[in-house]
Amino acid sequence: MMTANYVALATVIFFIGAAGVVVRRNPLIMLMSIELMWNAANLLFLAFARAWYNNAGHIFAFLVITVAAAEAAIGLAIVVVVFRSRTNVDVDEVAILKG
Amino acid sequence: MTAAFWILAVLLVASAIAVITASKPVYSVAGLLAHFFFLAITFFMLSAEFLAVIQLIVYSGAILMLFVFVIALLSSGVAPFALGPNRLPKIAAPAAAAVAVLLGFAGYAIAREPAITPRIVASYAGPVGAANVFGSVADFGRALFTTYLLPFEVTAFILMVAVIGVILLAGESTPYVPTRKRARIVERQVREAIVRAGEE
Amino acid sequence: MSITISHADWLAVLPLFIVGCGALIVLLVDLAWPKHAPRNVSLAIGIAVLIAAGAFAARTYGINHNAFGGGFILGGFAVIFEEIILLSSIVSLALFGALGRSDRIAGITALILWSTSGAMLMAGAANLMTIFLGLELLSLALYCLCGMAERKTSQESALKYLILSSTASGFLLFGMALLFGASGGVTLEGLAVPALAANPLYWLGGGFFLIGIAFKLSLMPFHMWSPDVYEGAPLPVTAFMSVVTKAGTLAVFARFAYSLPSSHNLLLPFFVIAGISMIGGNLAMLPQTDLKRLLAYSGIAQAGYIVAALAGATALGIRYALFYLAVYMFMNLGAFGVIALLSTDREEGAQLAVFSGLGRRRPALAAAMSFFLLALAGFPPTAGFLGKVLILSVNVNAGYAWLAALLVAGTAISLYAYFKIVRTMYERDMEAPPLPQSNAPLAYAGVLLCAVFVLALTFYPLTPSNVLPLAR
Amino acid sequence: MMLLVIWLLPLLGAIVNFAFGPQLKRSAGIIGSALVGVSLIATLAEWAPATTGAGATLGVRQHLFAWMPGFDFGLLLDPLSLIWTLIITGVGFLILLYSIGYMWSDEAIARFFAYMDLFVFAMLTLVLSDNFVGLLVGWGLVGLASYFLIGFWFFKPTAVAAARKAFVINVVGDVAIMFAIFIMFAKIGSLSFSAVFAHVPMLDGWLFWTCTFLFIGAAAKSAQIPLHTWLPDAMEGPTPVSALIHAATMVTAGVYLVARCWPLWNASHEAQLLVGTTGAVTALAAAVLGIAQWDIKRILAYSTMSQIGYMIMGVGVTAYQAGVAHFFAHAFFKACLFLGAGIVIHELADEQDIRRMGGMRARTPVAFWAMFAAVLAISGVPLFSGFFSKDQIIYGALAHGHPWMYAAGIVTAGITTFYMFRLFFVTFFGTYRGDLNPADVGVEHPEEPTSHEPQHGATHPPAWIMALPVAILGVFSVIAGYVMIGSNSPWSRFFRPVFGFEKLPPVAISEIWTSVIVLVCVAIGFAVAYWRYATPEALADAPARLRAETHRMPRVLVRLYYFDDLIDLIVVKPAQALGTFFGRLFDPMVIDGAVRGVVSLSDAAAERIRDWQDGLLRVYALVVVAGAMCFAIYYALQGAAR
Amino acid sequence: MVLVLIALPLLAGSLLLLLPQNDRRWSRSTGCIVAAITFVLPLAAGGSGSFSAHWLSRPFAASFDFAWNGVSLWLVLLLALCTFCAILATNMVQARTMIALLLLLEASMMGLFTARDVLLFALFWDVMLLPPFFALLWWGPERKTAWRFIIYNFSGGLLLLLATAAFGVLSGSTDVIGSTHQFAGAWAPWIFAGFAIAFAVKTPLWPLHTWMPATYADLPPPMVSVISAVQSKAGLYGFIVIALPFLRIAMIQWSALFVALALVSLLYGALIALTQSDIKRIVAYSSLSHLGLIVLAIFCFNAIAVQGAIAYIVAHGLFSASLFLILGYVEEREETRSIAHLGGLGKSNPKLAGAFTIAALAALGLPGLAGFVGEIVILTGVFRAGYFWPALIALVPIVLASAYMLRLLQDTINGPEVAALPKRRDLTVLEGLAVAPLLVALFVLGVYPAMIWR
């Protein structure tokens, strides 16, 4: 019974993260929302690991955290490079490529 | 047990919403920190002690600190965040509705209590924290370095890529000169300065 | 439940690690050089490493081995994909010889080698974990590579690619988690249990997993990122990305599709969006004036064709998907090669204005470009024609006639778009600015190699025979 | 072998004249006419074998080659084709001789003789072939030759238009014969005359249609009523052309065709009725039109139409011998008339309107006497050839049960006499009106004479070269009839093996009484003509009378029964209207419109896709999430359904 | 030996591209020699020569199978002759490029007519579209015609591709031209539809013809003479060699529709030709009408009609090639194509007028020339196959043909000399030589056509 609750909780957090990416215009908030999505997935992995008593979920969660770290690093580096020379940190400003 | 879950669930959702609705990025970082903390507690409930600790140390400790530094870097002397026309087309409202619909589905799928028949893989089950028990660090370590060695090796490459990538992206374009050589260059420059001073 | 890692397992993954460590060698050599290793040295080392990995991979063609407990399945399928990925990264490095900043070349070569190893991992991955890691290794390297050119648009493309791709990876992860929950294990083999069809987690998980895959293949609704990123990124990176990401993702999708029991209605939406992207991709090509953006949309359509070949999970389907992917690689890289030869370090020759009246000023290059465009349009003397015929016949056979019809309609529209470029090249009275004479022997060799293969494959179609089984 | 000589010599003449035309100049005429002469002699040599044998072995046969089973070619000379060959080569030779003089001053003389020889060769192909396809090939080539010759002075727009009209109507005839050939080939399987005529019953239901379509071909060629409009315009060509083609030979090809296919006509009564009626109607209508004309050649053209109407009526009512007899006689006196007219026109420097002639008796005596004999012959005055053959036809019509055709024949004989003598008196009697002001003779818009440049160093042709042929033809037009006198005349014995003997049942009015009635009509015709044009006071104020007659001429006759306007209205205008509609409107609008529609549709769709790609990162994210949403909903539904 | 037929022009064509742009002497002589060889070779080799190499085995067996016999022999000879004459007649500015294109066109169509494998046929079907497309691009006055040409024909090619794939999959092998394998199943009508539409676009048949007049009018004379003479026969050749033997059942079901379409194109082409003002478009619409007759012959399933069709294919090839070359000369001399401004050419250039007359007479089906033979045998076969009314209706365009052909002929060469037109020299020896073989062939086939059906 407990696993079902965890699945519901993870789905809710996942879609809050997705909404965050879509709604917010600040790139940092977007990156944080992406972190939220990934953590929701992590939670789901651990919930199912607990249900199946299979520690593959733990390993997967650990890997997700590593990759999230790398991705956050590169993400922030790109954000810094892009917005270093701009006045306001707004993703809608970054729209040269179109058509 | 379930009461704790519900409290944590409410707290988790609240902190997540706080992250995306905060007006200033610092508040959203705080929200995220709270979120990670509650997650760590949940992980403990799910008998994943190692992961809980990693969550606290790596995620909150390292990645969040990165965010704080960048926020500091970008906000110094810069106009407030997120001003300017909100150019998202009018579709935002229906998108939100869609999210709501899906949440409903998630609930529906859950309510039907999927027939998860746990197949006991690990032969042992025991209280949280005991050695060699499911979820313990020893068990985690053994799995990581025997069954899932290939993923572990690949993470090495991933981190390497992150490091090199960041340097290339954001690093200054001055070339890296080894220390001893640099010392000799400085000496030469000093000598030349003296000789030039001498001539004048 | 621990498995023993034998010598054969490491041999299976050897090409992967050769490429990974090769990147380190490049960096070390650059470090040892006084100022910066000259462009050709880093590229030469990189290409040498790739060729060595290619040789190792070719040696293991015959052996079928399930390494790392299902983590990496060595077999005809994996080797062919590795060869395709290695070949395209070799050509991309060759294109770097023609343009790009020379001070960062070592770092760029290393990143390209790492993304190649990530793609090779995806080629052989048979469990969710290896798929995820391969995908992320490939993508992370590409995020950085996209930002390498000095132009503002390249940084913008890197930002867009990162955020959108991470969101998609989020969906992929969520899907994997649900699949893990449904099947209890991470291996694709575990998903082959027919009883799973009754489990809603399996359906939702499969759905989210396919969303991640569809995003990476830039099929229609999830394609928004590719035109901007292809245009923003430096040319060799675009060339690399257009082939390698598709190759790796297709390998993963093929294993996933061929391992599912009754996969029809789980994959149906995927083939529907493949059909839509065939038509939409070709339509979107019509008004384009920038060649990289045009090739992006053409990539969307071509991805649709290859996915169409896999419809119905037939044995022949996988062979012709592989054949068409190989032909697509040569066509695409050839076209990018020609653009590279027309561009200088400062600005890239991807604008249509550069191509107007090319037939008169650079007849050889114009002929090569027309040949590649004809191949992309599926005109007869080229392997594109044969590839399309094979896909059509497989579709008709597998009962997906509606996909075949969409393919034909898409090809008709694509003809109109590709021939616009051919027309501007052979326009009569266009006076155009004089063109720089770029003297990168590597790039010329790359273009020539592609042209020879596109013509030869028409008459000697090498469709590999022992490609199955996949998930075991 | 001799057949090949007869057949191919004119072709040789044509090729030689065509290839070496410019060098030959006037000697081209000599070569051309000599070759036709040799061909004439060869025909005479073949007289004996051509008339021996009976039924299938009648005449001389010569197999050529075969295209396909059922399409084989060969030559056949039997009494019927012998008569036609004789006229073609005989009268042809005389006319060629005459045209040496006539075309003496024209610088394209070589080309003229090349075309004339080509015509003779084509006519021989038509007449000598032993199957329908050979006949059709001859039919087409004859049309081509007449097109070349009518349009010989191609710098004259009217000649060019007339040539095109003649050729198109001719093709209508070709096409009709083609359809008949389809029927015969489908039903009988072979196209040679012997095979077709041996299996006539096999045609059963289609017999009438075969005869009808064959007759449409004949009508087009012999200028019968619905398809006759090209003949008067064909007078644009040089006069010898009109003489040879539009009087003696080509226009009678229709009569030859019906005569050759007599077994078909014998078997189908309705076909006989059709052909007979058309012949009679044409004879009558053409005669009436003849009255209304003032151009000397157009009068002769309408008289030819009328006489051929007689012949068609003759063969139509299965009086084949009578029809062929009238053809035989008509060839001579009509050629003589045309050549005489040619001399007159030549004398008056191409003036063709009889109102501006008059008093030509003194200036062209040879023409006067020869034409006098011919006019008597054509009117059917006894002792002249026309009398015998025309009476046989008229009587034949009655004998075969067509009383009203009998009446039409008699009336036409009268009218023929009137307009022939009208022409004769106005042209040759009275004083020369050429130098008067054309208006007061009734000529509104005088046609300026065609300026075909006389050759520099204008040497004159030998005087006899034009006079001799006319004289010979005049003599023949008198004596030609004697061979047909009586019921067992040499003529009927000559044709007995071809058409077989047919005992005519006794009829209300005997043959002698028919001749008497015809003579009465002829006399009436002559009297009216004499009273209007030849009395001394008529001759005195001829100009005033002619002007009055021109104004009083009824419009329907002047506009030639509005036939030309009718054809123009029914056929030419709609075709052009349809053509312009399809060409200008339908093609570019409808079909191309559809393609342009598809192309613009795809461009519009492309624009839509481009609008969505507006560069905003969050829009892309939204599309990704929305797409994922649809996927998720589908899979959730699937999952829930399980 | 067959490969020489294809490889030689291909090689020569591509080698010529190395010569300087408007070199005329060298490129023309090599072009003529190559075209002459391709003409003599099949004759010397007698009835048949063949070559075959393995190509595909998996979804369906396909191989590079070339051979020629019967119909394709005549089309190969026609192609070689027309190319020879076209190369002789090329004296425009970029002669070398045009001659190279002509040779490449010949190579591709040689491949098409000798292919014994349906997939190979489809391959060459698309390749042969390239030379005219590039010719339209370089010489065509407006780009729109190049577009319309390539879109119409290539979409047809695509349908052909789909039908070939289905053909191969269902019958196991596409290397079948010459063998007999009937298609019955549910798929037969669809496969036939694919083939039929592709062939109808190429022929062209009525609703799909709008690309043809503009293309024929805009292409330079040497190229259009080969295209109108031979490429338009690819569709008919397809019907005879692929559709008739394999898809007979489906074809019989749909024959009523195609007979109707053939009749419509017959009348439609003739009527428009009556009122066109551009001389090239008159001949273009006339060939729409003539080809409609051949389609009618094919869809009567009568042996005689098909034999007539083959004769008429060769005849039409000859006279449309000579007509377009001659119109090219007229346009070259008078710089105008509208019939209203032309006239009186016969006076100053009699040789040109003579050649024009012979070609026009052959076109309108004068007995004694090649056109008539085809027409009469076809219509006899059509009538014998039971189609009475179509045979009768098909006669009307023959009458219209004489009307518009004479209008074209007389308005250009007869009539008084138009003062505005400059007086140009008559046909040069070279131009005469370019047209002579075609006219001689018209006479020979007109007098003795049995050699086609031997």
Side-chain angles (χ1 to χ4, degrees), chain E residues 367-381:
Chain E
L369 288 172
F372 168 75
V373 170
E375 271 169 13
I376 191 157
V377 173
I378 284 178
L379 288 176
T380 324

Side-chain angles (χ1 to χ4, degrees), chain D residues 70-81:
Chain D
F71 279 83
D72 41 15
F73 284 93
L75 297 178
L76 162 70
L77 189 67
D78 69 351
L80 186 62
S81 51

